[in-house]
Amino acid sequence: MLYISVPLGKLVRRVSRLRGGGSALPGLVVEKIDPGFMKRTLSTLPHGVAVVSGTNGKTTTTKMVVELLESQGLKVFTNRTGSNFTRGVAAALLGEVDWRGRLQADVAVLELDEAHAVHFVNSVPPRYCLLLNVLRDQLDRFGEIDKTAQLLQHVAGKTTGTVVLNREDPRVARIAETLTGQQVHYFGLDDSLLSTFPNDDDMRAAPGSPLPAALPEKPHADVVLRKVGPDTADFEYDGVTVTTAMKLRGVYNIFNAAAALALARSICGSGAATADHGTLLTALSQVEPAFGRGESLVVDGQPLDLVLVKNPSGFRLGLKSFAAGGYATMIAINDNYADGRDMSWLWDVEFDSLRDGGVDQLTGSRAYDMALRLQYDNVPIGAVEPDIAPALAAFIREAKGKPKRVFCTYTAMLAIRRELSKITTVEVVS
Amino acid sequence: MTEESPVSRAGKGNSKGNSKGTIRILQLYPRDMNIYGDWGNALVLKRRLQWHGYTPELLEYNPGDDFPADVDIIVGGGGQDSGQLIIQEDLQLRAGTLTELAEDGAPMLVICGLYQLFGRFFKTRLGTVIPGIGILDVETQGTDERLIGNVRVSTPEFGEVLGYENHSGQTTLGSGVRPLGTVAKGTGNNSKDGQEGARYKNVVASYLHGSLLPKNPAIADFLIRTAAERKFGTFDPGTPDDHYALLAREHAARRPR
Ligand SMILES: [Zn+2]
């Protein structure tokens, strides 16, 4: 059967591409004229649909899962553009289906934010879901952290096959208690690494305080991250610990690699039988960070690291993962809708680690909120300029010959990349 | 500058260095009621006390702890519904102590969740009545609607107050309190009367996170001055550098809701 919606949607997609528009419009068109399009197309996939959700790390993790599955010879459909919305998925499908609406893929791996994942699973129940974490992020949109956990619980409940959960995030791990028919797999951390992952409840808590109730006994995890070296990591699965080289930096990203491995093993079938672990590990070692999540560029012959910070836990991990010494530092804080309007979260981050070197440049629509925050942590401040273009130019000029690091919110990062490509040759190294 | 204030009672003043004396700040339930940066309020009090030449001492009170003596300023924040459930019972045990302190003029700042529980009661959407400790003559009704966004408030005492609200409880003031101010942008206490926060004696209650005190140093200094006068008879202010606060206020006031 031939559906008029697909050719029409593809046409809108082309036009909106030419006009430099985003991916939402063509998705909207198809959704309006053919509401069953997405469900119909995705239901034909032999391995079904896997949804990746949680507050932090969705994009990098989704990318890892895709590369792991591809290493096993599967053809994977994914929403690569980073569109977090049902509409974005519909638009991405339009780009991949042929003119008759057929999708040439074995499995779909979709990144969805918590609120939109709920809408999505109501119309397309996934066969797998991977739930990463529940942290304070964009609470102005979702209300409260417990509510966010409920959204993820709903996603897990709609899953028909296997649910993969973060054993170390009590709000996520406890979702298992609400499930009946599904298989549950966990990914976990070695006890020695737990302290490098403060969760939001630990932030102000006295050491050892029992909040929220952790699982009475740690369940067995399918994949455990045991150790992180400068460019290696140790993963344990099937009772064996293996060391692999890693291109990803930061403990946090590597924990997400354990998550990706657990989901890929669920999809391919775990144990020695179905997944080829040699190729899985090779694929894992070659994964590079997704757009914007900790990128290294070269500007004027010096490295410039962009570190995306969008919530307190992300900012704290960013400060912890990258030593401040020897780097010139800029912080760019915007409060556009996509960043979240609320600046309260800056007060949940401690900036002591920047006190010795100071911060050279502050920018963004909330540059002065950031300056005020640093003042209260006694961190020396160089220049403050809310306008990103001149601030970035000044930062690069003043820090000539020094490696640079920029902590930035989402829309600030987009603006910085745009500016960088104008003022200098940008070479992406990883 | 090193003299002990003559009214410094029973060794409460600090004798070390050039300090004008020690002020003890108590954070109420920081483990369960500390959301949207409310910790920033305690940090601002601590630093500004230093900048004014006093020695701050930061204390925490969590459920089951001994309640510390000689507390000069009390601050408390908002929490998840689950956090509120955890502290409720313990708060009732401390109602007497807290009421005595408030009636005696101790400066207090309570934000969002603890603002509600400092009132007479909180009635949930489903009709369950959670008793407060009644220091403030206010009552709160839970709703389905979440009031979220940047807020500007005109206040008679502190000038323009800026912050960010995020709550679904709607609070109505009784005749025993006055509002902190009138909302110029945002919603405040409830979607009806255009008022925000509550004032009683030296208790300041507000829905505003942000955190509240960094961009509203006038409120921080009110709490500090009140604490110093209560303890030492006088307040001898220093000169904190507030130029980033002023610029942050200017920029924040122009941001969309
Ligand atoms: Zn609140």
Side-chain angles (χ1 to χ4, degrees):
Chain A
M1 186 168 174
L2 221 145
Y3 292 91
I4 178 83
S5 55
V6 171
L8 184 60
K10 275 178 140 358
L11 191 66
V12 175
R13 184 168 178 273
R14 264 194 200 170
V15 173
S16 99
R17 277 266 166 100
L18 287 174
R19 298 178 56 211
S23 57
L25 178 65
L28 179 66
V29 169
V30 170
E31 206 175 75
K32 277 274 171 323
I33 61 173
D34 182 6
F37 165 72
M38 189 167 64
K39 183 176 185 168
R40 193 175 64 238
T41 310
L42 290 173
S43 65
T44 61
L45 299 173
H47 282 78
V49 174
V51 165
V52 179
S53 196
T55 316
N56 270 344
K58 289 185 287 290
T59 304
T60 298
T61 309
T62 302
K63 185 171 180 286
M64 285 190 270
V65 173
V66 170
E67 290 175 31
L68 291 175
L69 294 176
E70 284 174 348
S71 81
Q72 302 301 301
L74 294 180
K75 191 161 183 335
V76 185
F77 168 77
T78 184
N79 49 339
R80 266 177 217 280
T81 52
S83 307
N84 276 355
F85 310 108
T86 305
R87 213 158 274 165
V89 173
L93 275 174
L94 273 176
E96 298 288 321
V97 294
D98 62 24
W99 287 90
R100 298 176 59 186
R102 285 177 310 205
L103 184 60
Q104 298 298 321
D106 300 305
V107 60
V109 181
L110 303 176
E111 169 196 351
L112 289 166
D113 81 21
E114 299 89 326
H116 292 90
V118 167
H119 287 286
F120 178 81
V121 301
N122 284 341
S123 70
V124 184
R127 196 172 302 171
Y128 306 92
C129 76
L130 167 59
L131 305 180
L132 296 170
N133 44 52
V134 183
L135 301 160
R136 288 182 199 180
D137 176 31
Q138 298 187 320
L139 287 175
D140 46 348
R141 267 208 284 156
F142 298 140
E144 294 193 350
I145 192 165
D146 294 333
K147 182 109 165 274
T148 310
Q150 282 167 21
L151 297 178
L152 291 185
Q153 185 179 316
H154 182 85
V155 172
K158 288 281 179 183
T159 301
T160 58
T162 304
V163 173
V164 181
L165 301 174
N166 180 349
R167 184 181 68 180
E168 317 306 343
D169 183 324
R171 286 192 176 84
V172 171
R174 287 196 157 253
I175 288 174
E177 295 169 355
T178 68
L179 300 175
T180 45
Q182 295 83 349
Q183 281 240 46
V184 177
H185 289 172
Y186 293 95
F187 61 99
L189 271 177
D190 194 89
D191 283 349
S192 66
L193 293 171
L194 280 175
S195 64
T196 57
F197 283 81
N199 69 35
D200 281 359
D201 299 307
D202 290 338
M203 241 184 329
R204 297 283 151 219
S209 68
L211 225 195
L215 292 174
E217 214 169 287
K218 271 196 182 190
H220 166 79
D222 183 54
V223 177
V224 179
L225 174 60
R226 287 286 175 212
K227 217 170 94 189
V228 175
D231 44 19
T232 60
D234 290 5
F235 296 98
E236 184 191 310
Y237 52 81
D238 297 336
V240 185
T241 300
V242 288
T243 303
T244 174
M246 292 301 289
K247 278 190 182 172
L248 286 175
R249 310 256 181 79
V251 191
Y252 187 72
N253 280 327
I254 295 175
F255 186 43
N256 286 334
L261 196 54
L263 176 58
R265 281 164 54 84
S266 298
I267 293 173
C268 298
S270 52
T274 25
D276 173 351
H277 283 103
T279 52
L280 266 184
L281 280 185
T282 308
L284 198 64
S285 70
Q286 284 165 358
V287 171
E288 293 175 355
F291 163 70
R293 272 73 181 173
E295 271 179 310
S296 209
L297 315 171
V298 171
V299 177
D300 284 351
Q302 288 291 331
L304 184 150
D305 293 341
L306 290 177
V307 182
L308 180 70
V309 293
K310 51 173 192 164
N311 50 36
S313 51
F315 211 149
R316 275 179 287 135
L317 282 165
L319 292 169
K320 216 164 181 171
S321 306
F322 304 96
Y327 275 76
T329 306
M330 176 163 110
I331 303 179
I333 304 291
N334 273 352
D335 69 345
N336 296 318
Y337 179 75
D339 304 298
R341 295 255 184 245
D342 185 8
M343 285 298 109
S344 303
W345 66 281
L346 294 178
W347 294 87
D348 284 329
V349 183
E350 275 152 8
F351 293 92
D352 306 24
S353 64
L354 297 176
R355 197 173 290 147
D356 283 347
V359 175
D360 300 270
Q361 181 78 51
L362 296 174
T363 188
S365 56
R366 290 291 191 142
Y368 286 109
D369 271 70
M370 191 65 228
L372 191 58
R373 176 69 193 89
L374 292 177
Q375 182 191 359
Y376 276 97
D377 264 356
N378 292 330
V379 174
I381 297 163
V384 189
E385 165 55 65
D387 199 343
I388 287 179
L392 183 65
F395 176 58
I396 289 172
R397 198 171 54 238
E398 297 294 320
K400 205 164 178 58
K402 270 180 103 176
K404 300 166 192 69
R405 185 166 296 131
V406 181
F407 296 95
C408 42
T409 62
Y410 181 68
T411 68
M413 171 171 270
L414 298 181
I416 287 167
R417 288 182 59 99
R418 216 158 39 231
E419 282 311 311
L420 281 174
S421 63
K422 271 190 230 160
I423 59 178
T424 180
T425 321
V426 175
E427 179 199 335
V428 179
V429 290
S430 75
Chain B
M1 293 294 283
T2 54
E3 82 280 346
E4 285 261 301
S5 166
V7 245
S8 168
R9 284 164 288 177
K12 282 182 196 165
N14 188 304
S15 54
K16 83 169 185 213
N18 292 325
S19 174
K20 298 169 185 172
T22 297
I23 298 283
R24 285 157 66 94
I25 308 157
L26 179 68
Q27 279 185 277
L28 269 189
Y29 307 115
R31 209 163 68 197
D32 304 301
M33 301 294 282
N34 177 29
I35 199 171
Y36 309 123
D38 290 335
W39 148 251
N41 294 326
L43 176 64
V44 165
L45 290 171
K46 175 181 159 185
R47 290 279 184 245
R48 293 188 79 82
L49 278 163
Q50 290 169 336
W51 297 338
H52 283 299
Y54 292 80
T55 302
E57 211 179 296
L58 210 48
L59 311 168
E60 289 191 1
Y61 175 78
N62 288 301
D65 290 353
D66 291 331
F67 200 91
D70 306 332
V71 169
D72 301 308
I73 305 179
I74 288 179
V75 283
Q80 303 274 324
D81 293 350
S82 55
Q84 305 216 14
L85 283 174
I86 292 170
I87 64 138
Q88 241 158 255
E89 211 175 304
D90 188 87
L91 183 64
Q92 290 301 330
L93 297 177
R94 300 302 173 191
T97 312
L98 289 167
T99 307
E100 230 169 80
L101 278 164
E103 291 296 332
D104 193 48
M108 301 184 180
L109 174 69
V110 282
I111 304 293
C112 201
L114 274 172
Y115 168 21
Q116 296 167 345
L117 292 176
F118 264 48
R120 292 194 285 113
F121 62 82
F122 181 104
K123 194 170 177 185
T124 67
R125 267 183 310 127
L126 303 171
T128 314
V129 174
I130 298 165
I133 56 174
I135 290 177
L136 300 171
D137 178 18
V138 307
E139 50 187 69
T140 304
Q141 172 72 53
T143 71
D144 279 332
E145 182 194 8
R146 219 170 167 84
L147 308 171
I148 298 177
N150 286 310
V151 181
R152 278 169 43 212
V153 185
S154 311
T155 78
E157 288 173 282
F158 309 114
E160 180 168 72
V161 169
L162 299 168
Y164 191 92
E165 66 183 325
N166 188 341
H167 56 107
S168 53
Q170 300 215 3
T171 299
T172 312
L173 307 192
S175 57
V177 295
R178 55 186 195 282
L180 173 64
T182 312
V183 171
K185 172 164 80 184
T187 312
N189 286 338
N190 57 63
S191 44
K192 285 177 216 84
D193 61 23
Q195 295 177 340
E196 155 53 28
R199 286 280 291 108
Y200 174 70
K201 299 220 166 178
N202 293 320
V203 180
V204 179
S206 170
Y207 270 113
L208 303 192
H209 306 278
S211 312
L212 179 70
L213 293 185
K215 282 202 290 291
N216 300 288
I219 301 180
D221 285 352
F222 161 79
L223 298 168
I224 288 170
R225 172 166 44 81
T226 308
E229 287 175 353
R230 213 170 147 256
K231 190 165 197 172
F232 308 119
T234 60
F235 174 52
D236 175 16
T239 48
D241 177 356
D242 282 331
H243 84 281
Y244 285 136
L246 287 172
L247 287 161
R249 286 171 59 83
E250 264 174 39
H251 282 253
R254 292 202 300 264
R255 298 305 295 160
R257 164 85 168 145

